[in-house]
């Protein structure tokens, strides 16, 4: 056979393969068209329900209004879901052998996982008994046969769980790439290649061989995509794990922890919507990660039941906008602050001008309590354990007791207890109406707000008294200075750590006493006896709250904590209050922790989770980073956490990390001053900008420039005018995010400026945390990585910084 014959045969096979691909794509397009026709029918049904509900509302009776409202609410949700056309609405298919049982589930699919004993004939042939298409929502045809299986349904599990080692009934797994109503292509995995399977009398074809790798190579945008089309077995096991007690998930960079957490929220709602009607709270470390992930749940068919909140916005009415340096953050986040705040909550009663004498008129004569007597009453009140604001009624009662005793009336009526009780009641009622008494009580036991008490910590001398034997002198100075940005009443910018302090103070202070409010009569109430009728629109509108009282939901049915390794002890206490009766999913990676005292954080975490049983999972495969990038990051991991095992990268690109040194002849980088405000023309800035421009030309998606937290403003100036695809962010903001390409600027600065010799075991406590932050920065890229070194990195002739040399 000649060379030309070989080429011709190869061309023929390629043409045949292309023909099979086109034919299979057309078949999936035909099925997708049928799905959308059925969706349109369901949309018309939902619109009819909406119209019918509007007519019911014209009846005017309370019963009709309630029925109308419930119907509008249900139909509105249904219509909203049906009208949403997401990319990859239909994304998967599995072709299955005959199963051991013939039972059908509620989605119309057979429930059997294992093939029947006679599913494969002795000659190796088999018939495909069932084909299931997997999508974001379940769709049944008019005869209730499944057109699409919801990805969360038990019948869809083999799409994610089946492997060539344990294929179960799955012969072929197909990933369908679609956009809107158009099928773009298909990729197949044959999980039982030894079987000659037929479907409708034709041999089962296979198209392509890289469905997962194709999904991993897609360009990144600024929003997280769901992973329903590429969930792997170990991820699916976590997503579908029972919700009882606490599910703990550990995994290194790129293992899909955040995506798994969000998909788990959608799955739990699908499996037991009634149980989780109390809501699911997803806690993320930063607003950047919230904005990156918040679009995932709607695309999974879930919206409204899940709250995704950053730690800095976990308290309603409060939004963290300031940043604390690491030394300050370590003080504010420490569990020692609980004791400091407990003293502050009580000591704040002495703020301002506190009256030292109480004078009232009782029974026609003046009764007076002096400073010593008032101090004794205050000590007696504070002997209780109730929150400070809730002690106010006790303070009032003990003041009245002291005044009653001082008046001598108790002695005068001691012979007649019944008369004494009657006189005492009149005494209390008279004083409660005395302006002198009520004004004194307001000044002597004021209603305290968390913001006001937090602002009081800015007084260094006062804080030193409250923090005695709990904080060191240097820590007191750092804490007091950081809070001077607040006004006397606590107004001003707050950091994410301040929010946790506020939440702790709210617990210690308790809510202020409710002010009596005059209720105006509503003529409708008199006519119908109906106090309130609300509609779905009313309830979905902006929440109304008293402007002087901060309120938020504080009791969720399930709490998911993302990047849990970064929560400080005070933040664990804050999150724990929102999940007292909840089940939990806790997702994190100790190797990425930026908190220095991991033992202290572990104790606070254990307290927040309580005695609930634990179920632990580990994700071991790095789907984000190419092996070339992962290997470099693993060097830092070995320094930060000796003996730890990194996740295994599943792909290679041949693109090794690039090293660039931005060091002038005099060893300077040209940065302008210690405040990090550069003019955009210094050597480091020019180098970073040039690398960002080069990477923008090489990748289709985003480029992240990661700098030390103090350089964030400067880095944004370096990237000015490069467009939305280039993003500058601080090293602590990068957690959970990913970019097609990353520029990591000055690894030594990110690792707190310490040399490798200082990162040895027994070295400074901050060293390990700094290296873990650098490890995070090095693992954000899905394709390309550049490291730009300054003088502090001590780069060699090739630009490789001291920290990363072998």
């Amino acid at each position: 056979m000649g060379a030309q014959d070989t080429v011709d045969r190869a061309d023929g096979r390629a043409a045949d393969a292309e023909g099979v691909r086109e034919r299979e794509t057309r078949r999936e397009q035909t099925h997708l068209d049928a799905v959308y026709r059925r969706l349109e029918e369901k949309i018309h049904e939902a619109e009819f329900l909406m119209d019918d509900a509007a007519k019911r509302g014209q009846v005017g009776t309370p019963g009709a209004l309630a029925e109308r409202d419930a119907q509008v609410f249900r139909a509105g949700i249904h219509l909203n879901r049906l009208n949403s056309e997401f990319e990859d609405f239909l994304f998967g298919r599995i072709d299955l052998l005959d199963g051991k049982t013939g039972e059908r589930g509620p989605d119309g699919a057979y429930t059997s996982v294992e093939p029947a004993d006679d599913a494969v004939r002795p000659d190796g042939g088999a018939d495909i008994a069932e084909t299931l298409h997997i999508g974001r929502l379940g769709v049944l045809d008019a005869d209730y046969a499944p057109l699409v299986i919801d990805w969360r349904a038990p019948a869809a599990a083999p799409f994610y769980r089946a492997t060539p080692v344990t294929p179960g009934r799955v012969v072929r797994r197909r990933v369908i790439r679609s956009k809107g109503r158009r099928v773009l292509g298909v990729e197949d995995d044959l999980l039982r290649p030894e079987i000659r399977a037929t479907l409708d009398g034709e041999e089962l074809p296979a198209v392509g061989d890289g469905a997962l790798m194709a999904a991993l190579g897609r360009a990144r945008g600024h929003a997280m995509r769901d992973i329903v089309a590429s969930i792997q077995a170990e991820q699916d096991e976590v997503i579908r794990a029972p919700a009882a007690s606490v599910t703990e998930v550990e995994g290194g960079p790129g293992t899909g922890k955040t995506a798994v957490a969000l998909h788990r929220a959608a799955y739990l709602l699908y499996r037991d919507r009634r149980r989780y009607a109390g809501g699911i709270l997803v806690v993320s470390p930063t607003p950047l990660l919230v904005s990156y992930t918040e679009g995932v749940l709607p695309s999974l068919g879930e919206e409204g039941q899940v709250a995704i909140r950053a730690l800095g916005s976990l308290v309603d009415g409060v939004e963290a906008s300031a940043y604390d340096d690491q030394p300050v953050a370590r003080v504010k986040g420490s569990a020692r602050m609980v004791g400091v705040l407990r003293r502050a909550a009580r000591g704040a009663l002495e703020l301002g001008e506190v009256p030292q004498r109480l004078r009232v008129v009782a029974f026609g004569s003046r009764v007076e309590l002096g400073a010593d007597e008032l101090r004794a009453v205050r000590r007696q009140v504070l002997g209780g354990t109730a929150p400070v604001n809730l002690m106010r009624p006790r303070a009032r009662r003990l003041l009245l007791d002291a005044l009653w005793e001082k008046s001598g009336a108790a002695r005068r009526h001691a012979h007649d207890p019944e008369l004494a009780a009657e006189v005492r009641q009149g005494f209390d009622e008279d004083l409660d109406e005395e302006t002198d008494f009520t004004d004194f009580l307001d000044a002597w036991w004021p209603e305290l707000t968390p913001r006001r008490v937090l602002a009081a910590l800015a007084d260094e001398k006062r804080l030193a008294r409250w923090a005695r034997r709990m904080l060191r002198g240097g820590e007191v100075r750092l804490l007091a200075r950081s809070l001077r940005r607040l006004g006397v009443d606590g107004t001003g910018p707050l950091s994410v750590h301040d929010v946790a302090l506020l939440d702790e103070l709210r617990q210690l202070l308790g809510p202020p006493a409710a002010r009596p409010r005059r209720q105006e009569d509503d003529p409708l109430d008199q006519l119908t006896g109906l106090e309130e009728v609300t509609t779905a629109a009313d309830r979905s509108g902006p929440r109304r709250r008293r402007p002087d009282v901060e309120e938020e939901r504080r009791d969720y049915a399930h709490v998911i904590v993302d990047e849990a390794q970064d929560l400080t002890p005070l933040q664990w206490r804050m999150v724990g209050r929102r999940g007292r009766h909840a089940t939990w999913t806790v997702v994190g990676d100790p190797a990425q922790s930026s908190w220095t005292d991991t033992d202290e954080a572990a104790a606070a975490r254990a307290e927040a989770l309580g005695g609930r049983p634990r179920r632990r999972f580990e994700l071991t495969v790095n789907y984000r980073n190419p092996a070339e990038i992962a290997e470099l990051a693993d060097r830092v991991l070995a320094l930060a956490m000796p003996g730890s095992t990194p996740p295994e990268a599943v792909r290679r690109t041949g693109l090794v990390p690039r090293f660039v040194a931005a060091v002038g002849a005099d060893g300077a980088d040209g940065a302008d001053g210690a405040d990090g405000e550069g003019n955009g023309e210094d050597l480091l800035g020019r180098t970073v900008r040039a690398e960002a421009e080069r990477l923008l030309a090489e990748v289709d998606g985003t480029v992240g420039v990661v700098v030390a937290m103090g350089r964030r403003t400067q880095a944004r100036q370096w990237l000015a005018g490069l467009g939305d695809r280039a993003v500058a962010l601080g090293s602590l903001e990068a957690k959970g995010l990913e970019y097609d390409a990353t520029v990591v600027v000055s690894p030594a600065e990110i690792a707190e400026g310490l040399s490798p010799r200082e990162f040895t075991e027994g070295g400074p406590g901050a060293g390990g945390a700094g290296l873990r932050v650098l490890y995070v920065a090095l693992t954000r890229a899905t394709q390309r990585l550049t490291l730009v070194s300054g003088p502090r990195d001590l780069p060699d002739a090739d630009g490789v910084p001291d920290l990363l040399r072998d």
Side-chain angles (χ1 to χ4, degrees):
M1 179 172 28
Q4 187 58 47
D5 292 334
T6 303
V7 172
D8 291 343
R9 291 194 177 193
D11 290 343
R13 286 194 296 271
D16 290 343
E18 190 61 31
V20 170
R21 182 184 296 274
E22 291 179 0
R23 184 177 71 247
E24 292 301 302
T25 300
R26 284 196 303 271
R27 286 177 172 171
E28 299 303 344
Q29 182 67 63
T30 300
H31 186 81
L32 185 60
D33 292 341
V35 170
Y36 272 105
R37 283 195 298 271
R38 181 57 178 161
L39 285 174
E40 288 170 356
E41 293 174 4
K42 300 298 289 182
I43 287 173
H44 293 322
E45 290 177 10
E47 290 172 341
F48 172 80
L49 287 175
M50 295 282 283
D51 292 340
D52 183 60
K55 294 175 183 178
R56 289 175 183 268
Q58 298 172 5
V59 177
T61 66
L65 287 172
E67 184 179 352
R68 182 279 311 263
D69 190 41
Q71 190 168 328
V72 168
F73 182 70
R74 289 194 302 269
I77 291 178
H78 191 50
L79 186 60
N80 182 58
R81 295 175 76 194
L82 294 176
N83 274 322
S84 299
E85 293 185 13
F86 304 108
E87 182 181 354
D88 301 336
F89 173 83
L90 176 67
F91 56 78
R93 165 179 170 164
I94 45 179
D95 297 286
L96 307 168
L97 297 172
D98 191 22
K100 281 186 177 293
T101 65
E103 299 177 2
R104 286 187 181 271
D107 49 24
Y110 289 106
T111 57
S112 178
V113 175
E114 294 302 320
D117 294 335
D118 59 353
V120 180
R121 295 186 290 272
D123 63 357
D127 296 322
I128 298 299
E130 185 181 19
T131 291
L132 299 180
H133 283 83
I134 316 298
R136 302 180 185 283
L137 298 175
V139 181
L140 302 177
D141 66 15
D143 297 322
Y144 298 98
L147 289 173
V148 181
I149 298 292
D150 191 301
W151 69 273
R152 295 161 292 190
F159 179 77
Y160 305 110
R161 299 273 182 98
T163 67
V165 177
T166 57
R169 296 172 59 205
V170 181
V171 176
R172 181 180 68 178
R173 174 172 53 208
R174 168 169 289 176
V175 172
I176 302 170
R177 294 184 295 108
S178 64
K179 186 171 185 177
R181 300 187 177 214
R182 182 177 170 224
V183 176
L184 303 178
V186 297
E187 291 280 345
D188 293 334
D189 293 315
L190 283 179
L191 302 187
R192 288 180 171 268
E194 75 282 2
I195 295 177
R196 296 189 306 277
T198 57
L199 176 62
D200 297 331
E202 296 182 10
E203 186 173 344
L204 196 69
V207 176
D209 58 358
L212 175 60
M213 292 301 107
L216 296 176
R218 291 166 61 188
R220 265 57 180 175
H222 291 300
M224 186 181 195
R225 294 192 310 271
D226 62 77
I227 59 170
V228 288
S230 58
I231 292 172
Q232 299 303 292
E234 66 175 10
Q235 296 172 327
D236 190 64
E237 186 178 1
V238 175
I239 291 169
R240 297 173 190 267
S245 65
V246 178
T247 300
E248 296 183 310
V249 186
E250 287 190 4
T255 54
K257 298 184 299 298
T258 298
V260 164
L262 294 173
H263 286 66
R264 179 161 171 76
Y267 176 75
L268 292 177
L269 282 168
Y270 174 84
R271 292 291 296 164
D272 198 343
R273 191 168 298 276
R274 178 173 298 180
R275 176 180 182 182
Y276 294 106
I280 295 178
L281 172 65
V282 180
V283 180
S284 287
T286 66
L288 273 177
L289 191 53
V290 170
S291 62
Y292 180 62
T293 59
E294 61 188 355
V296 170
L297 283 165
S299 71
L300 298 176
E302 289 299 344
E303 196 168 17
Q305 292 292 98
V306 182
I308 305 179
R309 307 285 290 272
L311 284 166
S313 60
L314 206 52
V315 176
D316 268 13
V318 178
E319 192 72 39
S321 59
Y323 166 71
D324 287 322
D325 291 332
Q326 282 296 88
V328 177
R330 284 194 283 270
V331 178
K332 289 183 177 180
S334 172
R336 294 173 294 155
M337 284 301 301
V338 176
V340 176
L341 295 177
R342 186 174 291 116
R343 289 181 184 172
R346 296 176 172 227
L349 290 168
E350 304 288 347
L351 295 176
E353 296 183 7
V354 181
Q356 298 298 311
R357 191 176 302 276
L358 170 58
R359 292 175 179 172
V360 296
V361 176
F363 302 130
S365 60
R366 185 174 298 277
V367 183
E368 181 177 307
L369 297 178
D372 291 341
E373 292 165 307
L374 291 173
R375 278 193 293 271
V377 172
R378 190 185 291 280
R379 283 196 299 270
Q380 190 176 359
V381 177
L382 292 174
T385 57
V388 174
N389 285 332
L390 299 185
M391 289 181 181
R392 181 182 166 95
R394 173 177 166 87
R396 169 193 161 278
R397 187 177 69 253
L398 291 178
L399 284 173
L400 290 172
D401 286 347
L403 290 168
W404 168 256
E405 192 67 31
K406 192 74 176 285
S407 72
R411 294 186 300 275
R412 289 194 297 272
H413 299 286
H415 62 284
D416 190 343
E418 187 174 338
L419 178 60
E422 184 177 340
V423 174
R424 172 62 194 268
Q425 182 178 352
F427 178 85
D428 289 355
E429 290 175 352
D430 288 345
L431 287 187
D432 273 339
E433 295 178 0
E434 281 283 338
T435 303
D436 288 344
F437 180 75
T438 55
D439 288 350
F440 172 86
L441 184 58
D442 287 341
W444 189 74
W445 202 282
E447 289 182 345
L448 298 173
T449 65
R451 279 183 174 271
R452 186 185 178 199
V453 178
L454 185 65
L457 300 177
D459 186 307
E460 191 171 324
K461 291 183 180 178
R462 183 188 297 132
L463 176 58
R465 292 198 307 273
W466 292 341
R468 188 166 41 214
R469 297 181 182 175
M470 286 183 277
L471 299 182
R472 296 184 292 274
E475 293 175 321
V476 169
R477 284 191 294 276
L478 285 173
L479 179 56
R481 290 172 185 173
S482 76
L483 293 173
R484 288 174 190 167
R485 58 178 175 246
L486 302 179
V488 175
D489 59 352
T491 57
L494 298 169
S495 72
V496 64
H497 301 287
D498 293 334
V499 174
L501 297 178
L502 274 184
D503 196 68
E504 191 73 32
L505 283 169
R506 291 178 65 184
Q507 190 76 6
L508 294 168
L509 295 175
R515 301 293 185 182
R517 299 176 64 187
R518 181 174 175 269
Q519 300 257 350
E520 296 185 2
D521 293 335
D522 189 333
L524 180 62
D525 294 345
Q526 299 174 8
L527 293 173
T528 66
L530 192 64
E531 292 184 356
E532 182 182 21
V533 176
T534 62
T535 67
D538 296 331
R539 293 192 297 273
S540 63
R543 291 177 56 191
R544 298 177 181 177
R545 61 170 66 91
R546 285 176 53 191
D548 59 327
V549 179
E550 294 174 349
E551 297 178 317
E552 88 282 337
R553 189 175 196 166
R554 300 196 36 116
D555 196 6
Y556 288 84
H558 191 84
V559 177
I560 296 175
V561 183
D562 190 19
E563 304 293 353
Q565 75 280 347
D566 278 340
L567 266 64
T568 70
L570 262 290
Q571 289 168 347
W572 270 116
R573 291 174 63 88
M574 176 172 64
V575 176
R577 294 186 188 103
R578 286 146 180 84
R580 287 189 176 96
H581 308 293
T583 52
W584 290 70
T585 300
V586 180
V587 181
D589 177 18
Q592 298 184 62
S593 174
S594 57
W595 183 249
T596 53
D597 194 336
T598 53
D599 291 339
E600 185 186 42
R605 168 175 169 158
E607 182 181 353
L609 299 179
R612 300 173 179 87
R614 309 288 204 272
R615 181 188 296 104
R616 189 174 181 278
F617 296 89
E618 184 175 5
L619 302 177
T620 60
V621 180
N622 180 353
Y623 298 101
R624 176 194 299 143
N625 306 131
E628 293 85 353
I629 293 176
E631 288 164 1
L632 177 66
D634 291 347
R635 296 184 199 170
V636 175
L637 178 62
L639 289 172
M641 296 187 68
S644 59
T645 303
E648 181 180 358
V650 296
R651 61 195 173 100
R652 285 190 174 272
T653 62
L655 301 170
V656 298
R658 172 180 165 88
F659 296 96
V660 179
V663 181
D666 58 355
D669 67 354
D672 295 342
D675 61 359
E677 295 294 334
N679 60 13
E681 296 298 324
D682 59 271
L683 178 59
L684 183 62
R686 291 196 304 270
T687 304
V688 172
R689 184 181 180 90
E691 288 303 309
E693 289 176 334
R694 184 183 62 80
L695 290 171
L696 286 170
E698 293 178 353
V699 300
D700 295 327
T702 53
V703 174
V705 175
V706 184
V707 297
M709 293 298 290
R711 281 197 187 269
R712 290 175 300 161
T713 301
Q714 187 181 29
R716 294 186 189 108
Q717 294 172 350
W718 293 340
L719 303 184
L722 292 186
D724 294 338
R725 287 200 296 133
V727 180
L729 65 161
S731 55
L732 295 178
E733 299 171 322
K735 198 70 60 70
L737 304 178
E738 59 184 35
Y739 302 92
D740 288 84
T742 303
V743 180
V744 175
V745 182
S746 188
E749 286 187 8
I750 292 174
E752 301 186 338
L754 302 179
S755 72
R757 289 170 295 281
E758 295 176 286
F759 288 121
T760 58
E761 187 174 355
L771 277 172
R772 293 194 295 268
V773 172
L774 176 59
Y775 177 59
V776 172
L778 294 175
T779 54
R780 299 305 97 195
T782 66
Q783 297 181 33
R784 299 169 186 266
L785 172 65
T786 295
L787 292 98
V788 177
S789 295
R792 295 177 64 185
D793 295 289
L794 305 176
D796 62 13
D798 297 322
V800 180
D802 189 20
L803 268 174
L804 299 177
R805 285 199 286 274
D806 292 331

